[in-house]
Amino acid sequence: MTDPAHGERAAADDQPEIWTGRASNRVQWLLACAGAACLALGIDLAVESLWPAGILPLVMSIVGCIAVGLLMLFGTLAFVHVAVKVDKECLEVRCGHIGVPRRRIPLSHVVGADFAPAVTPRHWGGWGYRWRPEQGTAVIVRRGEGVVLQLGDGHKFTVTVDNAESAVRVIRDHLRLTPPPAPTA
């Protein structure tokens, strides 16, 4: 006869304390290069400044090129890759090289986790940090497998990450080991 508590501990020991995963998208480097080109064009226009049409079109062109270049450059570099970490307390998602934007979801707020074999940017309206009323929130850096969390408030959170199936197993194991919140009087 086996002790159920011991069996649960043995199954939990098979899973790592901390699970980490990543996903990346090399195509976004091309967009970052286009942003750098726009930025360089704006700087070149500012340095050359030989426009016969006047100063206002020149300033508008410079500001426009620099603004578009910065938006494209930093907007795409923020979502070139995503790093996901799952521990006993939370799931943490960090985007880009500096980890911003970042989302930290306590596992006490998670009621379920599912494996999504085919998450595509097309279903979410593109790459990046996305929100859709019928689907919830997502961090999409590429097409492919992902983790879908059902949160206690009825919302969903999706993230594309390599080896998402093992992440779901770890999350589910941590959810089973977490005691339910104490009822309030």
Side-chain angles (χ1 to χ4, degrees), residues 22-40:
R22 295 176 58 93
S24 60
N25 186 343
R26 293 187 181 139
V27 172
Q28 289 190 338
W29 283 106
L30 295 174
L31 295 173
C33 289
C38 286
L39 188 61

Side-chain angles (χ1 to χ4, degrees), residues 104-119:
R104 191 170 196 269
I105 301 172
L107 292 182
S108 61
H109 296 163
V110 176
V111 295
D114 293 315
F115 171 71
V119 179

Side-chain angles (χ1 to χ4, degrees), residues 22 32 73 88 126:
R22 295 176 58 93
L73 186 62
K88 288 184 176 187

Side-chain angles (χ1 to χ4, degrees), residues 12-144:
D13 291 340
D14 293 342
Q15 295 297 333
E17 290 285 321
I18 297 175
W19 181 91
T20 58
R22 295 176 58 93
S24 60
N25 186 343
R26 293 187 181 139
V27 172
Q28 289 190 338
W29 283 106
L30 295 174
L31 295 173
C33 289
C38 286
L39 188 61
L41 177 62
I43 292 169
D44 186 51
L45 288 173
V47 171
E48 293 295 321
S49 68
L50 297 174
W51 276 39
I55 191 77
L56 186 61
L58 176 64
V59 170
M60 289 174 59
S61 297
I62 292 170
V63 169
C65 286
I66 290 175
V68 166
L70 287 173
L71 283 173
M72 285 179 68
L73 186 62
F74 292 115
T76 56
L77 288 179
F79 294 101
V80 168
H81 66 81
V82 64
V84 178
K85 180 176 96 172
V86 178
D87 60 23
K88 288 184 176 187
E89 295 179 14
C90 70
L91 174 132
E92 185 176 59
V93 177
R94 292 174 170 239
C95 301
H97 296 290
I98 58 174
V100 177
R102 179 186 338 185
R103 175 97 189 251
R104 191 170 196 269
I105 301 172
L107 292 182
S108 61
H109 296 163
V110 176
V111 295
D114 293 315
F115 171 71
V119 179
T120 64
R122 188 184 77 191
H123 292 118
W124 286 92
W127 290 311
Y129 200 99
R130 299 296 179 176
W131 174 77
R132 299 208 42 193
E134 66 279 359
Q135 291 179 297
T137 310
V139 176
I140 308 295
V141 295
R142 53 122 173 101
R143 78 175 56 202

